[in-house]
């Protein structure tokens, strides 16, 4: 379902929130670090540069992403595993657990938070970032196209994203005994190229939709969406303006 080339097309825009998340992680010398939903592993390698003494594991359910991650050079302390975050278990409790732009693919975040906390060592840090732009025109237009009679029944099983509010994440993690730092940022991206917002969505949001529709219907879906997105996000000489909100949570166990 995942296509590493399409995903990395907007690499700089997608990378920045990770660094902003990481800048709030206060961990001196962790031994075991995991990057859940690591994709092509570029950011997993950054974790190993920040903590060169740590064993760092990147986990992703996409074989294509993990193969791409393994192809790229990395230090001997980094390894990549194919695994589903729904049931992945670390070999040892983790000192730092990072997840950038991945947890929104998993359902039921109340249960998920409990499962993530259970993987942590005492004093460990859990840090994640999830998109929160589900009310943006881009997502409303995807929903509008999903509801067209031609696509609706095939797309009914494709879930919408289960991201919680900052207050809810704070409450869930505080109740589990962690101290929480949570915030939200809206980025104004100026995306280069033609049909830039469509290209962005093709790297992420539309992956499960197109996988469910198959080739021919998938192409028809994209052609329904293209003019809607062009109208909502007109291209300008300096790029297509695309507002994108993300939620960030950094929580420390026993803090
Ligand atoms: C938007 S990409 C983010 C990749 C990377 N963290 C980054 O920031 O560049 C989301 C990743 O989550 C992975 N993913 C989605 N659902 C997953 C699951 N249930 N278990 C493991 N990985 C999952 C996808 O395969 C994809 O590589």
């Amino acid at each position: 379902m995942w296509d590493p080339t399409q995903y990395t097309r907007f690499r700089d825009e997608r990378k920045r929130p990770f660094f902003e998340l990481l800048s709030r992680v206060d961990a001196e010398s962790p031994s075991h670090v995991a990057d859940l939903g690591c994709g092509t592993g570029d950011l997993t390698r950054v974790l190993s540069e920040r903590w060169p003494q740590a064993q760092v594991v990147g986990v992703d359910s996409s074989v294509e992403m993990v193969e791409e991650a393994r192809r790229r050079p990395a230090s001997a302390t980094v390894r990549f595993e194919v695994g589903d975050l729904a049931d992945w278990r670390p070999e040892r409790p983790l000192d730092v657990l990072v997840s950038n732009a991945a947890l929104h693919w998993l359902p039921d975040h109340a249960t998920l938070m409990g499962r993530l906390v259970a993987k942590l060592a005492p004093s460990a840090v859990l840090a994640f970032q999830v998109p929160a732009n589900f009310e943006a025109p881009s997502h409303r237009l995807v929903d509008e196209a999903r509801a067209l009679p031609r696509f609706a029944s095939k797309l009914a099983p494709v879930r919408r994203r289960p991201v919680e509010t900052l207050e809810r994440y704070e409450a869930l993690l505080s109740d589990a005994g962690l101290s929480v730092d949570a915030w939200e940022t809206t980025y104004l991206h100026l995306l280069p190229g033609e049909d830039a917002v469509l290209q962005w969505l093709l790297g992420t949001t539309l992956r499960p939709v197109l996988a469910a529709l198959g080739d021919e219907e998938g192409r028809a879906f994209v052609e329904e969406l293209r003019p809607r997105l062009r109208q909502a996000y007109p291209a300008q000489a300096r790029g297509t303006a695309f507002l994108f909100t993300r939620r960030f949570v950094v929580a420390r166990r026993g803090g």
Side-chain angles (χ1 to χ4, degrees):
M1 184 177 88
W2 287 87
D3 175 351
T5 311
Q6 185 71 29
Y7 181 71
T8 47
R9 204 165 165 152
F10 298 104
R11 193 189 311 261
D12 288 347
E13 289 83 355
R14 297 201 196 274
K15 220 163 55 177
R16 177 171 159 188
F18 170 84
F19 286 99
E20 292 176 0
L21 178 72
L22 201 58
S23 73
R24 300 288 301 168
V25 176
D26 180 14
E28 282 273 302
S29 51
S31 307
H32 294 93
V33 173
D35 179 10
L36 302 189
C38 64
T40 53
D42 295 348
L43 305 177
T44 322
R45 280 181 280 274
V46 173
L47 298 177
S48 76
E49 283 157 20
R50 167 142 179 207
W51 295 296
Q53 79 296 339
Q55 293 298 316
V56 180
V57 59
V59 183
D60 202 287
S61 54
S62 159
V63 174
E64 292 87 347
M65 287 293 205
V66 170
E67 279 175 355
E68 181 63 28
R70 285 180 179 150
R71 255 196 294 276
R72 300 180 187 193
S75 94
T77 56
V78 182
R79 66 195 166 82
F80 294 100
E81 280 179 21
V82 177
D84 191 324
L85 304 186
D87 53 22
W88 179 79
R89 285 204 176 81
E91 281 164 14
R92 292 155 191 265
L94 298 165
D95 302 302
V96 176
L97 194 170
V98 176
S99 183
N100 189 57
L103 296 183
H104 57 298
W105 296 101
L106 283 103
D108 184 3
H109 279 202
T111 308
L112 177 63
M113 290 301 117
R115 276 199 263 121
L116 294 178
V117 171
K119 301 181 201 311
L120 300 177
S123 304
V125 179
L126 163 67
F128 66 89
Q129 178 272 116
V130 281
N133 62 336
F134 305 107
E135 301 308 317
S138 53
H139 281 66
R140 278 196 278 106
L141 292 171
V142 170
D143 283 347
E144 196 178 294
R146 284 176 64 135
L148 293 171
R150 178 168 182 183
F151 310 116
S153 61
K154 268 196 175 170
L155 293 179
V158 179
R159 288 195 298 269
R160 288 177 175 75
R161 309 277 74 98
V163 168
E164 297 283 359
T165 60
L166 289 179
E167 298 94 308
R168 179 99 171 110
Y169 285 125
E170 193 280 332
L172 288 166
L173 291 167
S174 294
D175 286 352
L178 283 77
S179 52
V180 180
D181 172 19
W183 71 100
E184 194 170 275
T185 301
T186 300
Y187 299 90
L188 171 60
H189 297 311
L190 287 171
L191 303 181
E194 209 176 314
D195 289 324
V197 175
L198 175 63
Q199 294 303 330
W200 176 289
L201 297 174
L202 284 172
T204 52
T205 306
L206 291 178
R207 303 313 304 172
V209 170
L210 299 182
L213 287 175
D215 282 354
E216 197 184 324
E217 289 294 277
R219 273 194 295 274
F221 187 91
V222 167
E223 292 318 316
E224 284 289 347
L225 195 54
R226 189 190 304 274
R228 289 173 166 82
L229 290 171
R230 273 190 188 166
Q231 198 178 13
Y233 297 98
Q236 308 167 92
R238 60 187 183 281
T240 300
F242 185 41
L243 281 178
F244 203 115
T245 302
R246 296 177 182 276
R247 280 184 197 141
F248 298 78
V249 176
V250 176
R252 178 178 286 278
R253 193 168 200 187

